[in-house]
């Protein structure tokens, strides 16, 4: 209406100054969290002011532009940190807890999630809106944890990976818009735990000098099954096989 037109005319004179000032603030940003918070603030002003101005008003256009630039800058900051961790995965600490570099990136992501939770993005649209953040920041982090685990002895690496995945899941489970990523992490965690159990079982068998004997037992069981499938009988008796007879297994 006329009021919107008058307001747009008044605001047109300040749109350039507002854009220049916000751009100057953006250029001074040095981290992902503060840049994301600024983008959220710009989104608030964009929604508030745009509702009072006619479509295509200069100030609305200016705010849209700086909001997009803030979003791109945030993704650059986040991607740089995550990719650096992926390119140079830190070694597993002796405690097998998540490395401080992993914890630092998780803390950063937690602050971003908290800020986004208070944004004006509708609840139904948040998951899709935030997916790019997960792809850019979380996926390289998970991959870095896997690389760190692979560089360690199998049992220790599996425990380290399990601890990292638990920390990541603990963060995502706090926010509804991140819940879609949790099932895949749960599957990775189950695999890591299975490897821990397998490695520990093999270590116990080696310490008890039972690993070779178990191999003989499994081989004999397979031979019996294969013979039965072919309609024949396995001639070898388990008790006669090397390593499992009475001399090898004294009472």
């Amino acid at each position: 209406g006329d009021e919107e037109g008058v307001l747009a005319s008044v605001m047109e004179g300040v749109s350039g100054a507002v854009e220049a000032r916000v751009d100057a603030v953006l250029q001074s940003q040095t981290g992902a969290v503060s840049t994301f918070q600024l983008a959220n603030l710009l989104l608030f002003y964009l929604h508030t002011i745009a509702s009072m101005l006619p479509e295509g008003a200069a100030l609305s256009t200016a705010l849209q532009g700086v909001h997009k630039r803030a979003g791109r800058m945030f993704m650059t900051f986040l991607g740089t940190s995550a990719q650096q961790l992926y390119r140079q995965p830190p070694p597993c600490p002796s405690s097998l807890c998540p490395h401080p570099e992993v914890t630092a990136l998780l803390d950063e992501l937690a602050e971003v999630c908290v800020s986004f939770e208070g944004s004006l993005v509708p609840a139904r649209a948040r998951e899709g809106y935030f997916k790019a953040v997960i792809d850019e920041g979380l996926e390289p982090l998970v991959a870095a944890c896997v690389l760190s685990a692979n560089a360690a002895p199998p049992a220790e690496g599996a425990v380290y990976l399990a601890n990292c995945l638990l920390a990541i899941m603990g963060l995502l489970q706090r926010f509804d818009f991140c819940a879609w990523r949790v099932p895949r992490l749960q599957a990775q965690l189950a695999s890591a735990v299975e490897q821990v159990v397998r490695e520990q079982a093999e270590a116990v068998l080696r310490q008890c000098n039972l690993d070779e004997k178990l191999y003989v037992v499994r081989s004999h069981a397979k031979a019996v099954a294969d013979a039965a499938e072919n309609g024949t009988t396995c001639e070898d008796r388990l008790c006669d096989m090397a390593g499992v007879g009475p001399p090898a297994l004294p009472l």
Side-chain angles (χ1 to χ4, degrees), residues 83-182:
Q83 288 298 328
Q84 182 176 353
L85 197 65
Y86 175 72
R87 288 192 299 269
Q88 297 178 324
C92 299
S94 57
S95 65
L96 301 183
C97 292
H99 192 278
E101 291 182 25
V102 173
T103 303
L105 186 52
L106 277 178
D107 289 343
E108 193 172 79
L109 284 169
E111 288 190 64
V112 169
C113 288
V114 169
S115 178
F116 183 67
E117 194 173 34
S119 73
L120 292 178
V121 177
R124 64 182 179 279
R126 288 186 177 185
E127 183 177 302
Y129 190 97
F130 204 72
K131 187 179 184 302
V133 178
I134 297 294
D135 291 340
E136 192 71 26
L138 189 72
E139 302 305 342
L141 172 61
V142 174
C145 292
V146 171
L147 290 175
S148 297
N150 290 343
E156 294 179 8
V159 172
Y160 175 74
L161 180 58
N163 286 334
C164 289
L165 293 173
L166 282 170
I168 295 170
M169 286 169 55
L171 167 62
L172 299 187
Q173 287 171 336
R174 291 165 50 192
F175 304 97
D176 292 342
F177 47 85
C178 297
W180 63 272
R181 186 60 176 83
V182 173

Side-chain angles (χ1 to χ4, degrees), residues 16 18 59 67 74 77 107 126 140 146 148 150 167 198 210 214 229 236 247:
V18 169
L59 184 55
H67 175 255
F74 159 71
F77 278 131
D107 289 343
R126 288 186 177 185
V146 171
S148 297
N150 290 343
R198 183 169 59 250
L210 291 174
L214 184 60
E229 185 176 343
D236 296 326

